[in-house]
């Protein structure tokens, strides 16, 4: 399941990177420290913040949109 998530996110990032044109970081799937935050955490949006000069929530929404 973890690899399926990584593949799905990678596909979305590859599609968006045609517009972004940056070096994409590795995708890491983690368990959130606080269970109220969900079942899994993917921090790629946080790591793209400085490269894209956008808030992580905006980046995450773009990824989800793909």
């Amino acid at each position: 399941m973890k690899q399926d998530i990584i593949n799905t996110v990678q596909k979305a990032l590859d599609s968006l990177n045609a517009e972004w044109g940056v070096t994409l970081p590795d995708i890491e799937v983690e368990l959130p420290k606080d269970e109220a935050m969900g079942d899994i955490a993917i921090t790629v949006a946080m790591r793209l913040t400085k490269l894209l000069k956008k808030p992580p929530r905006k980046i995450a929404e773009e990824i989800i949109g793909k």
Side-chain angles (χ1 to χ4, degrees):
M1 185 168 146
K2 182 177 178 178
Q3 192 58 48
D4 290 339
I5 294 167
I6 291 170
N7 291 342
T8 301
V9 173
Q10 186 66 55
K11 194 177 200 180
L13 288 175
D14 290 343
S15 175
L16 288 165
N17 202 34
E19 174 187 330
W20 293 342
V22 298
T23 301
L24 297 172
D26 290 335
I27 300 166
E28 297 177 11
V29 178
E30 305 169 354
L31 297 176
K33 294 176 184 164
D34 180 359
E35 288 183 16
M37 299 303 290
D39 296 325
I40 62 167
I42 302 169
T43 59
V44 71
M46 295 293 288
R47 291 187 287 153
L48 283 167
T49 299
K50 287 183 182 180
L51 292 171
L52 299 176
K53 296 178 177 53
K54 296 179 183 181
R57 184 180 264 333
K58 172 84 170 119
I59 296 167
E61 288 170 352
E62 290 181 45
I63 294 168
I64 291 168
K66 289 292 178 177

